[in-house]
Amino acid sequence: YKFLFVSPERLKNELFLERFKQMPVNLITVDEAHCISQWGYDFRPQYLEIASIKIFHPSVPVLALTATATKRVCEDIQDKLEMKSPKLVQLSFARPKLSFSVRLVENTLEKGIEVLSKIPGAAIWYVRNRQLTHQITKALRQLGISAAPYHAGLTIADRDRAQKEWMEDQVRVMVSTNAFGMGIDKPNVRFVVHYDLPKNIEGYYQETGRAGRDGLASEALLL
């Protein structure tokens, strides 16, 4: 194998570690590295222990990747991955083709649908709870807009099917809690609407940043 993709939890598995010791590894990459700070101190402490595997391949370089790390989070990533004299490459957070809008409205559903009808292409509609994913999906479908709900309470099969149909443009709108989006790289997402505010500005930027990956003009709307 040329590429092995594992979760932080797998790095504590004895069978995996025995195999890892024998592998001809030439690069250790931590993707979505901001999760070290975002989740490591809360419900996935294994993110804080990723560096422990370095002892088996001490000369192998470590690459940490993230799109939303603040200065403090960058420092935390470097500390927890035990990076010595790291080289930091940081590009601008600016997304010149992504338009950010905030609208104060009485009927958020109506406004979201109004804007959605004016913008062609795939969309993600973020909501605060599971019940809303089904309610908004139903409302969109009644208007002839293909949509699918997505949240952690669905079965793996249902989530996989919804994601596959959306990725293949069989479904236009993914109506989701923040359970959806990590690692998604769909180029033609033209519109991301937020029914509610995420917990923090990093979360908001992460979620809106899933629009316009192809560099074309896209919209982010907060209702």
Side-chain angles (χ1 to χ4, degrees):
Y1 296 102
K2 295 290 186 181
F3 183 88
L4 181 63
F5 182 75
V6 299
S7 68
E9 288 79 8
R10 179 58 61 87
L11 304 182
K12 309 301 288 185
N13 180 281
E14 291 185 11
L15 180 59
F16 169 81
L17 288 175
E18 287 304 313
R19 291 178 174 177
F20 181 72
K21 294 174 186 177
Q22 310 302 321
M23 292 176 186
V25 179
N26 54 34
L27 179 65
I28 297 171
T29 303
V30 182
D31 197 16
E32 306 290 0
H34 57 273
C35 292
I36 289 173
S37 283
Q38 187 174 334
W39 294 344
Y41 299 100
D42 189 3
F43 62 99
R44 293 184 72 178
Q46 292 82 3
Y47 267 99
L48 302 179
E49 302 172 15
I50 293 174
S52 64
I53 65 169
K54 291 168 63 176
I55 61 172
F56 305 116
H57 295 283
S59 61
V60 172
V62 175
L63 174 65
L65 303 168
T66 175
T68 53
T70 60
K71 183 176 184 292
R72 182 178 178 184
V73 171
C74 281
E75 293 170 351
D76 199 27
I77 290 169
Q78 294 170 61
D79 176 56
K80 295 303 181 293
L81 292 180
E82 299 176 10
M83 292 180 163
K84 310 300 181 186
S85 303
K87 294 180 181 179
L88 179 63
V89 179
Q90 189 166 17
L91 304 179
S92 171
F93 284 122
R95 294 283 302 279
K97 292 289 187 177
L98 184 56
S99 171
F100 291 88
S101 302
V102 181
R103 295 286 182 267
L104 181 62
V105 295
E106 290 185 7
N107 190 321
T108 49
L109 177 61
E110 189 177 279
K111 186 65 177 180
I113 292 173
E114 176 192 327
V115 178
L116 186 65
S117 66
K118 297 176 181 178
I119 302 174
I124 306 174
W125 189 314
Y126 281 110
V127 297
R128 68 177 176 271
N129 62 52
R130 299 174 181 182
Q131 185 179 1
L132 274 172
T133 67
H134 295 283
Q135 291 175 354
I136 293 175
T137 295
K138 182 179 179 180
L140 292 174
R141 287 174 175 173
Q142 288 174 341
L143 292 170
I145 301 171
S146 60
Y150 190 106
H151 57 75
L154 295 173
T155 65
I156 293 176
D158 285 342
R159 294 200 303 269
D160 287 348
R161 182 172 59 254
Q163 181 172 313
K164 182 175 184 293
E165 290 176 350
W166 182 77
M167 290 293 292
E168 296 178 352
D169 292 322
Q170 298 173 34
V171 165
R172 183 185 173 202
V173 185
M174 185 69 87
V175 185
S176 174
T177 62
N178 61 4
F180 179 76
M182 183 71 75
I184 295 297
D185 192 17
K186 182 174 169 63
N188 64 335
V189 179
R190 296 273 76 86
F191 184 44
V192 173
V193 59
H194 277 84
Y195 207 72
D196 308 279
L197 273 169
K199 291 182 179 179
N200 52 50
I201 193 69
E202 290 88 358
Y204 181 67
Y205 189 80
Q206 182 92 8
E207 291 169 8
T208 57
R210 288 163 191 148
R213 293 286 179 91
D214 54 7
L216 300 180
S218 303
E219 301 280 337
L221 174 65
L222 171 61
L223 298 173

